Every structure is written in C-alpha cells, then in structure tokens.
Amino acid sequence: MMINSWFSQIIKFVNGEVSFEPKEKEKEIRKPSNHKEKSLKERYFQWRDERGYKVFRGFYGAISVAVALSIITVLLITVSYLPRYGEFSNPVNNEVTKRYIEKGMEETGAVNIIAGIILDYRAFDTFGESCVLFVASCSVMMLMRKDKKGKPCEELTAYDPKRDLIVKRVAKIIVPFNLMLGIYVVLNGHLSPGGGFSGGAIMGASLILLSSAYGYQNIRKIFSEKVIKIVTFISLSFYAIAKGYSFFTGANHIPSGIPTGTPGNIISSGLILPLNIAVGFIVTMTMYSFYALFTREEI
C-alpha cells in the first residue's frame, strides 16, 4: 500500500502535478509601532533635565572656587610688596596728594578739590562707576521686563496705596524745590560740596516722591523705558568721548583747547561741569528706573 502511494506520487511529479520545492513561509505582518527615535534636541533636553543641572552645578562650583583662589592669590602677592605698617621710611604724605592740593585749582579750574580729583585726575574711576550703574539698570530691565503679550515675567504683588489728597498737595510743593536743589548741587559741584552723584540722588528721590503721590502712569508719560535708556546712553557716551579726548591730548602733550576758566565762576573748570551734568542724569535715571521696576514691574 505504501509502495502504491509512493508510485502515485512519482506519477504526479512526472505529470507536474506535485512539486517538492519547499513552500514559502507566510510573511508576518508587522504592526505599526509608536516608537520614534528621539532627535538630538530632544535627547539634549532629556539629558539636561536628568543630569545636566547636576553637571552644571559641579562645573560652576569648580570654576567659582578657581576664580576666587586666583583673586586671593593676586591680592596676597600685591599685599606682600606693600611697606610695613608704621615703618620709619614710609611716606607720611604721598606726592600725589601734595600735587592735588597745590596744583589742583590751577590745573583743573575747580575750587572743589574733590570734584577736580574724581572728574579730572581720576575720571576713569568715575566713568567705571557710572557704567556699573548703567549695567545694573539694564540688567534689572532685562530680568523684570514684560513679554510680547504684555504679561510680566514674574507676578509680583505690588503695593498700590490709594492716592491721598494730602500727599499730592505736599508732593506738589516739595518736588519742585527738591528738583531745583538737585540741579543746584549738580551745577555747583566744582565750586562747593556736591556734584553729579549727590545731585542726581536728590533729583531721583524727587521723581520717586512724585511717582508715589500721583501714580506711575503719569510719570511714565515722560520717563518711559526708551527715554531712560537714551538719556543714560547719551550721558555715558559724552563722558567717554570727552575724557578720552582729554586723556589722549594730555598723555601726548598736545594742547586740548579746553579752557579751565576763572576759578569761582559757574562756567569754569573745563570739562568738570558738563561731566557733573552727565553723571547727574545717569544717577537720576538709574534711581527712578529701579523704583519703577521693583514697584510696578515696568517703567
């Protein structure tokens, strides 16, 4: 029986009815997968959230320690070269101090020796201080500015008291006199105690008092963020160009053409008067911008 079945299979093979080739396996139908390879940006953000912050903190701490140790080393080396305290050979009065006192009025035209020092002999130091104020003001503006939709970056609960009639009346009387005093202190800084820093502080305080009494909306119509930036930038630019020219001509022994004027007159002391005005504007704008930003989150 088995032989008959084999024989029948051979006959079918000869006739082409049977094939001994292996059957093709049915291909498995793969189901679509939701898995998607992450992009480089997505992997970066994932690494930042999981490990990046820890790595940054460790790196930041190491750099901070290195910078601090470098500064400490430089300061210690500098101090090691200073003369010992109380040594007999130490100069009682430095020759620079003597020059300031004896030649200050003649060379600067300023009756106030302090104004001559900070705005003539050491004008670059004062310029650096003014730049610090400008950078601080810009930094606060960037940190607390509003986004494109007009929403503040951080919601702060600002204290907004009711505008009292008595406060308004008192501010209306005091503010003009304070502004006049600030202008007087700035313009007479080379003749009497005062100058751009103290006069600018008085004028800035006057604007803060006016804003507290009448509301920031009224002051904002005049002292907007754009106005503050423009005034501060122009003042710093004038300071840098004027003193850069003065130091260049002085270092190369070239006549600057800037007269010192008659000591005691309001229009005298060369560049000290206009520099006092520039510093006064910078201090005023910085004080008011800080107040406006920290109270209402805007200028």
Side-chain angles (χ1 to χ4, degrees):
M1 193 145 198
M2 187 180 294
I3 296 173
N4 293 333
S5 64
W6 286 352
F7 184 73
S8 62
Q9 291 292 334
I10 292 172
I11 293 174
K12 289 181 180 180
F13 175 73
V14 173
N15 296 330
E17 298 177 2
V18 178
S19 176
F20 288 100
E21 292 181 2
K23 295 181 179 180
E24 295 182 0
K25 295 184 179 180
E26 295 181 359
K27 296 182 179 179
E28 297 180 357
I29 301 175
R30 294 184 180 180
K31 297 180 179 180
S33 176
N34 295 328
H35 177 70
K36 182 182 178 183
E37 178 135 4
K38 295 182 179 179
S39 63
L40 182 61
K41 183 179 179 181
E42 291 174 344
R43 281 183 288 173
Y44 165 74
F45 282 113
Q46 183 181 0
W47 174 84
R48 185 197 66 178
D49 297 335
E50 294 177 356
R51 296 185 56 194
Y53 182 68
K54 294 181 180 179
V55 173
F56 171 77
R57 287 196 63 180
F59 180 76
Y60 182 80
I63 294 296
S64 301
V65 172
V67 172
L69 290 177
S70 302
I71 296 174
I72 292 172
T73 304
V74 171
L75 292 176
L76 290 176
I77 293 174
T78 304
V79 170
S80 66
Y81 285 97
L82 295 177
R84 293 183 179 180
Y85 178 76
E87 190 174 348
F88 177 76
S89 60
N90 290 346
V92 179
N93 293 311
N94 192 281
E95 64 272 9
V96 177
T97 306
K98 185 177 179 181
R99 176 63 176 263
Y100 290 161
I101 296 174
E102 295 180 353
K103 298 289 186 178
M105 186 182 298
E106 178 184 345
E107 293 178 346
T108 65
V111 177
N112 184 0
I113 299 177
I114 305 300
I117 294 173
I118 64 176
L119 290 174
D120 194 280
Y121 293 114
R122 301 182 61 183
F124 268 151
D125 294 344
T126 308
F127 178 66
E129 296 168 4
S130 302
C131 287
V132 168
L133 292 176
F134 177 68
V135 172
S137 178
C138 291
S139 301
V140 174
M141 287 181 184
M142 288 188 291
L143 290 173
M144 303 188 68
R145 67 182 178 180
K146 292 186 173 182
D147 58 14
K148 294 181 179 179
K149 296 181 180 179
K151 297 180 181 179
C153 298
E154 294 183 3
E155 294 293 337
L156 300 177
T157 55
Y159 174 65
D160 190 10
K162 184 179 180 181
R163 310 300 172 188
D164 188 66
L165 182 60
I166 298 177
V167 176
K168 290 183 178 180
R169 297 300 182 188
V170 173
K172 193 173 183 179
I173 298 173
I174 293 178
V175 168
F177 288 99
N178 280 357
L179 289 174
M180 290 177 62
L181 176 62
I183 295 172
Y184 172 82
V185 171
V186 171
L187 296 180
N188 286 269
H190 60 292
L191 304 176
S192 60
F197 285 102
S198 53
I202 295 173
M203 291 188 290
S206 302
L207 294 180
I208 292 174
L209 175 60
L210 190 63
S211 178
S212 300
Y214 288 91
Y216 77 100
Q217 296 91 345
N218 296 323
I219 308 299
R220 188 184 176 190
K221 296 177 182 177
I222 302 175
F223 295 100
S224 62
E225 180 180 355
K226 185 176 181 181
V227 171
I228 290 175
K229 288 182 178 179
I230 290 175
V231 172
T232 308
F233 176 76
I234 291 175
S235 301
L236 281 174
S237 300
F238 170 77
Y239 194 115
I241 294 172
K243 288 313 299 181
Y245 168 77
S246 176
F247 282 137
F248 176 79
T249 55
N252 294 277
H253 305 286
I254 302 173
S256 63
I258 303 174
T260 57
T262 305
N265 293 343
I266 187 70
I267 307 297
S268 63
S269 69
L271 291 174
I272 295 180
L273 175 60
L275 291 180
N276 259 331
I277 296 174
V279 173
F281 278 129
I282 296 170
V283 175
T284 302
M285 297 294 105
T286 303
M287 283 188 62
Y288 175 71
S289 63
F290 281 173
Y291 169 80
L293 286 167
F294 281 110
T295 53
R296 300 300 304 188
E297 309 172 32
E298 59 180 310
I299 297 298

